[in-house]
Amino acid sequence: MAGLIKLKHEFTKASDFLVALGDQKRQAIIIALLDEKVIHQGLQVTDLIGVTGLSRPAISHHLKILREVKLVDYRRDGTKNFYYLTHQTTQIDQLKTLLNHVTEVMACNQQQERKF
């Protein structure tokens, strides 16, 4: 039971990050930012229009969400903003821990079922 309470807290902690990752358009933005050709220089909102098919305001909205969960950041070069993936992996590490704990609980439950 204590393990389930721990999982509940971990899910709550990871909720915003999971929501940010769950959207297909944000996934497309993340994949575009992972491209080795742009990973060091970043992309502008106009670059992401072709990738996502979204309007400039919609892309800005998605980038804001990704910035809020510290997955994306930007640098300003004159009047241009270049977006890139951050090197902060805290949220990713928390998600890995959560998934490991879910797997452990599932394995434990499966072992319990075999005993019966």
Side-chain angles (χ1 to χ4, degrees):
M1 186 63 135
L4 296 179
I5 293 171
K6 182 179 178 180
L7 277 177
K8 181 180 176 185
H9 291 294
E10 288 176 348
F11 268 114
T12 300
K13 210 170 165 183
S15 179
D16 289 340
F17 191 68
L18 289 168
V19 168
L21 291 178
D23 184 88
Q24 288 182 340
K25 297 299 183 178
R26 288 193 285 274
Q27 292 167 10
I29 290 170
I30 291 167
I31 290 168
L33 294 173
L34 282 168
D35 187 324
E36 65 185 50
K37 296 173 198 143
V38 299
I39 200 161
H40 299 292
Q41 62 194 29
L43 292 174
Q44 292 180 266
V45 170
T46 53
D47 298 323
L48 293 168
I49 289 172
V51 173
T52 62
L54 294 173
S55 67
R56 180 182 286 265
I59 291 171
S60 294
H61 169 74
H62 288 295
L63 287 169
K64 179 183 177 208
I65 291 169
L66 292 170
R67 284 185 19 239
E68 287 173 351
V69 297
K70 297 181 177 37
L71 193 58
V72 169
D73 205 353
Y74 71 97
R75 68 174 168 77
R76 179 163 273 170
D77 186 3
T79 59
K80 299 176 182 177
N81 291 333
F82 292 87
Y83 294 87
Y84 60 92
L85 294 175
T86 65
H87 293 97
Q88 297 180 15
T89 61
T90 305
Q91 298 250 8
I92 294 170
D93 294 337
Q94 288 175 349
L95 183 56
K96 287 180 190 177
T97 300
L98 168 63
L99 294 173
N100 286 337
H101 290 156
V102 168
T103 304
E104 289 169 11
V105 169
M106 291 173 69
C108 183
N109 287 343
Q110 195 173 39
Q111 287 177 354
Q112 294 294 330
E113 287 177 9
R114 289 182 186 153
K115 288 182 181 179
F116 296 110

